[in-house]
Short mmCIF file of all heavy atoms in Angstrom, two decimals:
data_model
loop_
_atom_site.label_atom_id
_atom_site.label_comp_id
_atom_site.label_asym_id
_atom_site.label_seq_id
_atom_site.Cartn_x
_atom_site.Cartn_y
_atom_site.Cartn_z
N ILE A 59 93.81 50.91 120.14
CA ILE A 59 94.56 52.16 120.17
C ILE A 59 93.86 53.25 119.35
O ILE A 59 94.32 54.39 119.33
CB ILE A 59 96.00 51.99 119.64
CG1 ILE A 59 95.99 51.51 118.17
CG2 ILE A 59 96.78 51.03 120.51
CD1 ILE A 59 97.36 51.51 117.54
N ALA A 60 92.76 52.92 118.69
CA ALA A 60 92.07 53.90 117.85
C ALA A 60 91.31 54.92 118.71
O ALA A 60 90.50 54.55 119.55
CB ALA A 60 91.10 53.19 116.90
N HIS A 61 91.62 56.19 118.50
CA HIS A 61 90.89 57.27 119.19
C HIS A 61 89.69 57.71 118.36
O HIS A 61 88.74 58.28 118.89
CB HIS A 61 91.81 58.47 119.42
CG HIS A 61 93.00 58.16 120.27
ND1 HIS A 61 92.94 58.08 121.64
CD2 HIS A 61 94.28 57.89 119.94
CE1 HIS A 61 94.13 57.79 122.12
NE2 HIS A 61 94.97 57.67 121.10
N LYS A 62 89.75 57.44 117.05
CA LYS A 62 88.68 57.80 116.14
C LYS A 62 88.33 56.58 115.29
O LYS A 62 89.19 55.76 114.99
CB LYS A 62 89.09 58.97 115.24
CG LYS A 62 89.41 60.24 116.00
CD LYS A 62 89.85 61.35 115.04
CE LYS A 62 90.21 62.61 115.80
NZ LYS A 62 90.67 63.70 114.88
N PHE A 63 87.06 56.49 114.92
CA PHE A 63 86.55 55.34 114.16
C PHE A 63 85.94 55.87 112.87
O PHE A 63 84.87 56.46 112.89
CB PHE A 63 85.52 54.61 115.02
CG PHE A 63 85.10 53.24 114.51
CD1 PHE A 63 84.35 52.40 115.32
CD2 PHE A 63 85.43 52.81 113.24
CE1 PHE A 63 83.94 51.15 114.88
CE2 PHE A 63 85.04 51.56 112.78
CZ PHE A 63 84.29 50.73 113.60
N GLU A 64 86.64 55.67 111.76
CA GLU A 64 86.13 56.12 110.47
C GLU A 64 85.48 54.99 109.69
O GLU A 64 84.34 55.06 109.30
CB GLU A 64 87.26 56.74 109.65
CG GLU A 64 87.67 58.11 110.12
CD GLU A 64 88.62 58.78 109.15
OE1 GLU A 64 88.14 59.37 108.16
OE2 GLU A 64 89.83 58.72 109.37
N ASN A 65 86.23 53.92 109.44
CA ASN A 65 85.72 52.82 108.63
C ASN A 65 85.91 51.46 109.27
O ASN A 65 85.00 50.67 109.35
CB ASN A 65 86.39 52.82 107.25
CG ASN A 65 86.11 54.08 106.47
OD1 ASN A 65 85.02 54.27 105.96
ND2 ASN A 65 87.11 54.96 106.38
N ILE A 66 87.14 51.18 109.75
CA ILE A 66 87.45 49.87 110.31
C ILE A 66 88.55 50.03 111.35
O ILE A 66 89.48 50.80 111.16
CB ILE A 66 87.85 48.88 109.19
CG1 ILE A 66 88.03 47.46 109.74
CG2 ILE A 66 89.08 49.37 108.43
CD1 ILE A 66 88.18 46.40 108.64
N ILE A 67 88.43 49.32 112.46
CA ILE A 67 89.43 49.40 113.53
C ILE A 67 89.73 48.01 114.07
O ILE A 67 88.95 47.07 113.92
CB ILE A 67 88.97 50.30 114.70
CG1 ILE A 67 87.65 49.77 115.29
CG2 ILE A 67 88.84 51.74 114.27
CD1 ILE A 67 87.22 50.50 116.56
N ALA A 68 90.89 47.90 114.74
CA ALA A 68 91.27 46.68 115.44
C ALA A 68 90.84 46.82 116.89
O ALA A 68 91.09 47.84 117.53
CB ALA A 68 92.77 46.47 115.36
N VAL A 69 90.17 45.80 117.43
CA VAL A 69 89.68 45.85 118.81
C VAL A 69 89.96 44.53 119.51
O VAL A 69 90.25 43.51 118.88
CB VAL A 69 88.16 46.15 118.88
CG1 VAL A 69 87.85 47.49 118.27
CG2 VAL A 69 87.36 45.05 118.18
N SER A 70 89.85 44.56 120.84
CA SER A 70 89.92 43.33 121.63
C SER A 70 89.00 43.49 122.82
O SER A 70 88.81 44.60 123.33
CB SER A 70 91.36 43.05 122.08
OG SER A 70 91.86 44.10 122.86
N GLU A 71 88.42 42.40 123.24
CA GLU A 71 87.54 42.42 124.40
C GLU A 71 87.67 41.11 125.16
O GLU A 71 88.09 40.08 124.61
CB GLU A 71 86.09 42.66 124.00
CG GLU A 71 85.51 41.66 123.04
CD GLU A 71 84.04 41.94 122.74
OE1 GLU A 71 83.28 42.14 123.71
OE2 GLU A 71 83.67 41.96 121.56
N GLU A 72 87.33 41.17 126.41
CA GLU A 72 87.43 40.00 127.27
C GLU A 72 86.14 39.22 127.22
O GLU A 72 85.07 39.75 127.48
CB GLU A 72 87.75 40.44 128.70
CG GLU A 72 88.17 39.30 129.61
CD GLU A 72 88.62 39.80 130.97
OE1 GLU A 72 88.37 40.99 131.27
OE2 GLU A 72 89.21 39.02 131.73
N LYS A 73 86.24 37.93 126.89
CA LYS A 73 85.09 37.04 126.84
C LYS A 73 85.35 35.89 127.82
O LYS A 73 86.10 34.97 127.51
CB LYS A 73 84.89 36.48 125.42
CG LYS A 73 84.48 37.52 124.39
CD LYS A 73 83.04 37.95 124.61
CE LYS A 73 82.55 38.89 123.51
NZ LYS A 73 82.32 38.21 122.22
N GLY A 74 84.75 36.00 129.00
CA GLY A 74 85.01 34.99 130.02
C GLY A 74 86.44 35.11 130.51
O GLY A 74 86.88 36.16 130.96
N GLN A 75 87.18 34.04 130.38
CA GLN A 75 88.58 34.03 130.78
C GLN A 75 89.52 34.21 129.60
O GLN A 75 90.73 34.07 129.74
CB GLN A 75 88.89 32.68 131.48
CG GLN A 75 88.07 32.42 132.73
CD GLN A 75 88.32 33.47 133.80
OE1 GLN A 75 89.47 33.82 134.07
NE2 GLN A 75 87.25 33.95 134.42
N LYS A 76 88.97 34.56 128.43
CA LYS A 76 89.79 34.67 127.23
C LYS A 76 89.69 36.07 126.62
O LYS A 76 88.75 36.80 126.86
CB LYS A 76 89.35 33.62 126.20
CG LYS A 76 89.56 32.18 126.63
CD LYS A 76 89.14 31.21 125.53
CE LYS A 76 89.38 29.77 125.94
NZ LYS A 76 88.97 28.82 124.87
N TRP A 77 90.71 36.40 125.84
CA TRP A 77 90.71 37.63 125.07
C TRP A 77 90.33 37.31 123.63
O TRP A 77 90.81 36.32 123.06
CB TRP A 77 92.09 38.27 125.10
CG TRP A 77 92.42 38.93 126.40
CD1 TRP A 77 93.01 38.35 127.49
CD2 TRP A 77 92.18 40.29 126.75
NE1 TRP A 77 93.15 39.25 128.50
CE2 TRP A 77 92.66 40.45 128.08
CE3 TRP A 77 91.61 41.37 126.10
CZ2 TRP A 77 92.58 41.68 128.74
CZ3 TRP A 77 91.56 42.59 126.76
CH2 TRP A 77 92.03 42.74 128.06
N GLU A 78 89.50 38.13 123.06
CA GLU A 78 89.11 37.95 121.67
C GLU A 78 89.46 39.23 120.90
O GLU A 78 89.06 40.33 121.30
CB GLU A 78 87.61 37.67 121.57
CG GLU A 78 87.15 37.31 120.17
CD GLU A 78 85.68 36.92 120.14
OE1 GLU A 78 85.36 35.80 120.56
OE2 GLU A 78 84.87 37.76 119.71
N SER A 79 90.22 39.09 119.86
CA SER A 79 90.60 40.24 119.05
C SER A 79 90.08 40.07 117.63
O SER A 79 90.00 38.95 117.11
CB SER A 79 92.12 40.40 119.03
OG SER A 79 92.75 39.27 118.45
N TYR A 80 89.72 41.21 117.01
CA TYR A 80 89.17 41.15 115.66
C TYR A 80 89.13 42.55 115.07
O TYR A 80 89.45 43.55 115.74
CB TYR A 80 87.76 40.54 115.67
CG TYR A 80 86.79 41.19 116.64
CD1 TYR A 80 86.01 42.30 116.28
CD2 TYR A 80 86.63 40.67 117.93
CE1 TYR A 80 85.13 42.89 117.17
CE2 TYR A 80 85.74 41.26 118.83
CZ TYR A 80 84.99 42.36 118.44
OH TYR A 80 84.12 42.94 119.33
N TYR A 81 88.72 42.63 113.82
CA TYR A 81 88.51 43.92 113.16
C TYR A 81 87.02 44.19 113.09
O TYR A 81 86.23 43.27 112.83
CB TYR A 81 89.11 43.92 111.75
CG TYR A 81 90.62 43.80 111.75
CD1 TYR A 81 91.23 42.56 111.64
CD2 TYR A 81 91.42 44.93 111.87
CE1 TYR A 81 92.61 42.45 111.65
CE2 TYR A 81 92.81 44.83 111.87
CZ TYR A 81 93.40 43.58 111.76
OH TYR A 81 94.76 43.47 111.78
N LEU A 82 86.64 45.45 113.31
CA LEU A 82 85.24 45.83 113.35
C LEU A 82 85.00 46.98 112.39
O LEU A 82 85.72 47.97 112.39
CB LEU A 82 84.86 46.26 114.77
CG LEU A 82 83.41 46.70 115.00
CD1 LEU A 82 82.47 45.50 114.86
CD2 LEU A 82 83.27 47.33 116.39
N THR A 83 83.93 46.86 111.56
CA THR A 83 83.58 47.94 110.64
C THR A 83 82.50 48.82 111.27
O THR A 83 81.87 48.46 112.26
CB THR A 83 83.06 47.40 109.30
OG1 THR A 83 81.74 46.84 109.50
CG2 THR A 83 83.98 46.33 108.74
N LYS A 84 82.27 49.99 110.66
CA LYS A 84 81.25 50.91 111.19
C LYS A 84 79.85 50.28 111.16
O LYS A 84 78.97 50.66 111.94
CB LYS A 84 81.24 52.21 110.37
CG LYS A 84 82.42 53.12 110.65
CD LYS A 84 82.29 53.89 111.95
CE LYS A 84 81.40 55.09 111.83
NZ LYS A 84 81.94 56.15 110.99
N LYS A 85 79.64 49.34 110.25
CA LYS A 85 78.34 48.68 110.15
C LYS A 85 78.22 47.50 111.10
O LYS A 85 77.22 46.79 111.08
CB LYS A 85 78.11 48.22 108.71
CG LYS A 85 78.00 49.38 107.72
CD LYS A 85 77.73 48.88 106.31
CE LYS A 85 77.60 50.04 105.33
NZ LYS A 85 77.35 49.59 103.94
N GLY A 86 79.23 47.29 111.92
CA GLY A 86 79.16 46.22 112.92
C GLY A 86 79.65 44.87 112.44
O GLY A 86 79.53 43.87 113.15
N LYS A 87 80.24 44.82 111.27
CA LYS A 87 80.74 43.55 110.73
C LYS A 87 82.05 43.19 111.41
O LYS A 87 82.94 44.03 111.56
CB LYS A 87 80.94 43.67 109.22
CG LYS A 87 81.41 42.38 108.55
CD LYS A 87 81.56 42.59 107.04
CE LYS A 87 82.03 41.31 106.36
NZ LYS A 87 82.18 41.51 104.89
N ILE A 88 82.16 41.93 111.83
CA ILE A 88 83.37 41.42 112.47
C ILE A 88 84.13 40.55 111.47
O ILE A 88 83.56 39.65 110.87
CB ILE A 88 83.05 40.61 113.73
CG1 ILE A 88 82.44 41.52 114.81
CG2 ILE A 88 84.29 39.91 114.27
CD1 ILE A 88 81.98 40.77 116.05
N VAL A 89 85.42 40.86 111.29
CA VAL A 89 86.26 40.07 110.38
C VAL A 89 87.62 39.87 111.03
O VAL A 89 87.97 40.54 111.99
CB VAL A 89 86.44 40.76 109.01
CG1 VAL A 89 85.12 40.86 108.27
CG2 VAL A 89 87.07 42.15 109.17
N GLY A 90 88.38 38.94 110.48
CA GLY A 90 89.76 38.74 110.91
C GLY A 90 89.93 38.41 112.38
O GLY A 90 90.81 38.94 113.05
N ARG A 91 89.10 37.50 112.88
CA ARG A 91 89.24 37.12 114.29
C ARG A 91 90.64 36.56 114.55
O ARG A 91 91.12 35.71 113.80
CB ARG A 91 88.19 36.06 114.67
CG ARG A 91 86.76 36.60 114.71
CD ARG A 91 85.80 35.53 115.19
NE ARG A 91 84.42 35.99 115.16
CZ ARG A 91 83.83 36.65 116.14
NH1 ARG A 91 84.53 36.94 117.24
NH2 ARG A 91 82.57 37.02 116.04
N ASP A 92 91.27 37.07 115.59
CA ASP A 92 92.61 36.64 115.98
C ASP A 92 93.62 36.76 114.83
O ASP A 92 94.56 35.97 114.73
CB ASP A 92 92.58 35.19 116.50
CG ASP A 92 91.70 35.05 117.73
OD1 ASP A 92 91.78 35.93 118.61
OD2 ASP A 92 90.93 34.08 117.80
N SER A 93 93.41 37.77 113.99
CA SER A 93 94.32 37.99 112.86
C SER A 93 94.90 39.40 112.86
O SER A 93 95.26 39.93 111.81
CB SER A 93 93.58 37.75 111.53
OG SER A 93 93.15 36.41 111.42
N LEU A 94 94.97 40.02 114.03
CA LEU A 94 95.48 41.38 114.08
C LEU A 94 96.94 41.43 113.64
O LEU A 94 97.74 40.58 114.01
CB LEU A 94 95.38 41.95 115.50
CG LEU A 94 94.00 42.09 116.13
CD1 LEU A 94 94.10 42.94 117.39
CD2 LEU A 94 92.99 42.68 115.18
N TYR A 95 97.24 42.44 112.85
CA TYR A 95 98.63 42.74 112.54
C TYR A 95 99.14 43.64 113.66
O TYR A 95 98.59 44.70 113.92
CB TYR A 95 98.76 43.46 111.20
CG TYR A 95 100.11 44.10 111.00
CD1 TYR A 95 101.25 43.30 110.83
CD2 TYR A 95 100.27 45.48 111.01
CE1 TYR A 95 102.51 43.88 110.67
CE2 TYR A 95 101.52 46.06 110.84
CZ TYR A 95 102.63 45.25 110.67
OH TYR A 95 103.86 45.83 110.51
N VAL A 96 100.17 43.18 114.36
CA VAL A 96 100.71 43.91 115.50
C VAL A 96 102.16 44.27 115.23
O VAL A 96 102.97 43.42 114.83
CB VAL A 96 100.62 43.07 116.80
CG1 VAL A 96 101.23 43.82 117.97
CG2 VAL A 96 99.16 42.74 117.09
#
Side-chain angles (χ1 to χ4, degrees):
I59 61 172
H61 300 280
K62 298 178 182 179
F63 192 169
E64 285 190 83
N65 298 286
I66 186 170
I67 58 173
V69 299
S70 60
E71 58 177 311
E72 192 174 13
K73 293 288 186 72
Q75 300 298 315
K76 296 182 178 180
W77 286 89
E78 187 175 284
S79 62
Y80 53 88
Y81 294 93
L82 180 68
T83 72
K84 286 283 280 292
K85 295 181 179 179
K87 182 179 180 180
I88 294 175
V89 295
R91 290 184 183 274
D92 299 317
S93 297
L94 298 192
Y95 165 69
V96 178

